[in-house]
Structures are given as structure tokens and as C-alpha cells.
Amino acid sequence: MLKSYEFPNDFWWGTASSAAQMEGNDAMDGKGKSIWDHWYEKEPQRFHNGIGPQRTSQFYQHYKSDVLLMKELGHTSFRFSISWSRLFPEGTGRVNPKAVDFYNDVIDELIKAGIEPFVNLYHFDMPFLLQEKGGWENREVVSEFSRYARTCFEYFGNRVSKWFTQNEPIVPVEAGYLYDMHYPNQIDFKKAVQVGYHSILASALAINEFRKIGEIGKIGIILNVTPSYARSQHPADQKASRIADLLFNRSFLDASVKGVFPSELVQLLKDLGYLPKVRKEDLIIIQENTVDILGVNYYQPRRVKAKENLPHPQAPFMPEHLFDHYEMPGRRINPYRGWEIYEKGIYDILINLRDHYHNIECFVSENGMGVENEERFLNEEGVIEDNYRIEFIKGHLKWVNQALTEGCNVKGYHLWTFMDNWSWLNAYKNRYGFVSVNLEKQSERTVKKSGWWFKRVIKENGFME
Ligand code: BGP
């Protein structure tokens, strides 16, 4: 018998993207360089097929028709980010009027199309001139961020009522300061902790600016609250998993939602000798400026086991000195990205938020599947038959639906992403969109089978299976 998965009438259906990944810099139009522009100039070979941020999907040129396509596909909301270095070419000081026009127009077009804009302020894209001053390592840059945030609220707050300070702030910490995947390519746990702490402070300061301006809507943060699963019930595996959870989830989650750092995390960093530099007054700001709403990005779980071998005595300290990653036999993998597919993870996250984070209002802000060489699935009508993506989304939506029936305060689902976009180091290797983009003829966008399927899901507020 078919089961029906129904969602509330006002459920937010849509997609998410980010400035650096979709705007394109072919027309810089006064934009300053971000760390991505700089790094690409310096080391283009680090990017898949040498494709850099210049050639991303040209939303900057085509946003009007892109928004119309979103409308055609039934979107009720769309999350994008403002590029700090487009708005403030030097990261501070002078505002670029063309950027103001562009974002004003994007917002207006979305509203005209009946699509609610969800605006994020920071998605891995530090202005290069501020990175030269140390980026998030530097307290001054934290203050610059709150100034930038305030400017955005002032310019766009009259029409945007869902704001987000940052997307996955743990990623610049890991990728930029531990694992050499983002600029500034450092491997330095001490700096990583400071950068993480300053990002949290920057978010709280931006929220503070938002509250000072008055009632212009809700403000939140978007976190990849990857659940940690221990290999076994053995206390050593359990401890390893708890440490991973503290470092990668609860650091940002507790600070953003509850305004405090878990005492176990503080003790751990203290024991390791890696407590960041903290000013007392900052802790009050963090405590008083928690989020109204939480975006949950979920792609894969984190599986953890106790350490099996001692680290090399000369190796720089890494989180992996405290636990090992666990490759669970039989796990399902998306081979193109190497990420495990585990749909129930989204349910576990939502239940955790219900039970331990006062059931804060939340939504699935990113979920998706990147697949290589999708042209092989083209049918005779020229449509990519991405049945695997439909299955992937359904699998997750079923668990979101289950969480709803159990009282979770989850308000929407956004796929990553609307149209194929530039995936950082992977450039255009894996495609995530409901809409494919012809990289040669950029203006050519073609809706995939999943895009039409999702349109029906939105129309019917659910699906049967
Ligand atoms: C998330 C990021 C996105 C996006 C996505 C897919 O972590 O918020 O920016 O890129 O992951 O990952 P990737 O592009 O690396 O395949």
C-alpha cells in the first residue's frame, strides 16, 4: 500500500546556494578579491580541471531568468549569500554601489516571483584584504564583520526577514587551518581554535547589530551538525565519538543556540593547552545574542572509533589525535563525493534539537548529492534522468516527515542546489543542481528530472510512496 508523506501547508520548499559558487566574477563590477580569487591566481592547479571562481554559473548576469525558472519550479524560498568582497571591495570602508543594486534587484525579483529570500552573510568567502590581516584570527576582522552585517541589514532589511550570519563556520576552521583545503592552507590547531572562537563571536556581534536595528525578522546561523556515531558501545569508542561531537558540533551549536560553550569542551581544550584568547565581555555578547532559527545542513554522518595507533610524535596536533574515523562495513557511499549516505541521520539531528536545544525553530538548509558526468543520463528529450537524486531526496524527506510527526520544529527543506554550481576545489566535477548548466554556453540551463519531480512535491506538499 502506498504511504503518503504530507508536510505542513506553509512548509518552506526551495534550494540554497552561495555567492562565490554561483555569481561568477566574469563581470567583477567593482567586486574586490576574496580568498578564492587570490588562491586561484596563486595555485590554479589545486582546482579540478583548473576551473576557478571566475567561471561559476553566472547568476550575476542571468539572475532574472534564473529566478523565473525557480518560480516555474514552484520554489517558495531561496537561500543565497551576499559576497562581502562584492559589497565592500576592500572588506571595509567604501561600499560598492553596483553590489547594492545587484542584491536589491535579486531580492526584488525573488519577492516579485513569490519566493522568500533567505539571506546569508558569510559562506567561506573572506575578503582577501582582510585575510591579509589574519582573517578570523584577527579580532579587528570580527568587528569588521559586524559592520558589514549592519550595512546589509540597513540596505536590505526592509524586504528580507530571514537572515543568517554564517554558513558552516566550522568548515573554514577545518579546511583553512587543519586540512589544507581552503586558503590560508595552514595546519595549526591553536590558530584553528582561535578562528573558531572568533567566528562564533562575529556571529553573536552581527546578531547584536540586528537586534539593535529592531524588528526586521529572524536571524539564525547555518550549521552542518553532522551526527557522530560511535563504532560500538565500548566506553573508548563512546568517548571518541563524544570528543568529535564536542569539537565539530557542540562548539558552534551550543554557543549559537544556548549562548554557552559546553564545559566538557572547555576542559578538553584546557587540558590540551589550546584554550583561545577570550575577553570576558565577549562571553556576555555570545550569551546574550543567540539565534532565533537554525539552518541544518546534512550530507553525511561522522562515524568514529577509539584511536588504534599513536600519532607520529612529531606530527602537528590534530583532532584526529583524539579519535579515529570509522569506515563502517556495508555503509552506502556516494562514490563521486566519497560521502556516506545515511538518511536517518537527519532525523537524529532533529530529535536532538527537539530534546536538547529547546526544539528551536529549524529547517533543512542544505542536503544533496553531487554526481559526476551526469550527461550520461540524458534522455532523448535532452533531460538528465537523475533518478538517484530523487531517491536521495525522498529518503531524507521521509525521515524529516517522521521527525515532524514526533513534534520536531522543522519548517522547510532546501536542496543544495538550484543549478549546478562551482564546488570549491572540486569546481564542476560533481553536479548538485535541479537544473544543469552548460559550461560552454553559460546561459543554457536545463531542468533535470528531479527538478520537475520536486515541483510536484511542492505543489502537493508531499508525495506518496
Ligand atoms: C556544503 C557547503 C556548500 C557545498 C556543499 C557540497 O558543505 O555549504 O558550499 O559546496 O557542501 O560540497 P562540495 O561542493 O564540496 O561537494
Side-chain angles (χ1 to χ4, degrees), residues 17-18 21 79 123-124 167-168 171 182 222 224 297 299 336-337 339 366 368-370 416-417 421-427 430 432:
S17 190
S18 84
Q21 293 177 274
R79 186 209 357 150
H123 198 123
F124 311 166
N167 173 78
E168 299 188 353
V171 168
H182 287 192
I222 289 157
N224 46 330
N297 288 359
Y299 290 89
Y336 313 102
R337 190 61 178 85
W339 286 350
E366 279 181 34
M369 188 182 182
W416 184 268
T417 178
N421 64 20
W422 182 76
S423 272
W424 316 110
L425 291 185
N426 275 331
N430 302 316
Y432 282 89

Side-chain angles (χ1 to χ4, degrees), residues 76-92:
T76 63
S77 48
F78 175 61
R79 186 209 357 150
F80 62 98
S81 71
I82 290 178
S83 158
W84 186 351
S85 52
R86 189 179 290 286
L87 195 63
F88 284 97
E90 282 92 39
T92 175

Side-chain angles (χ1 to χ4, degrees), residues 102-113:
F102 169 62
Y103 293 117
N104 265 332
D105 222 25
V106 169
I107 292 165
D108 290 344
E109 291 293 315
L110 284 166
I111 293 172
K112 209 161 69 186

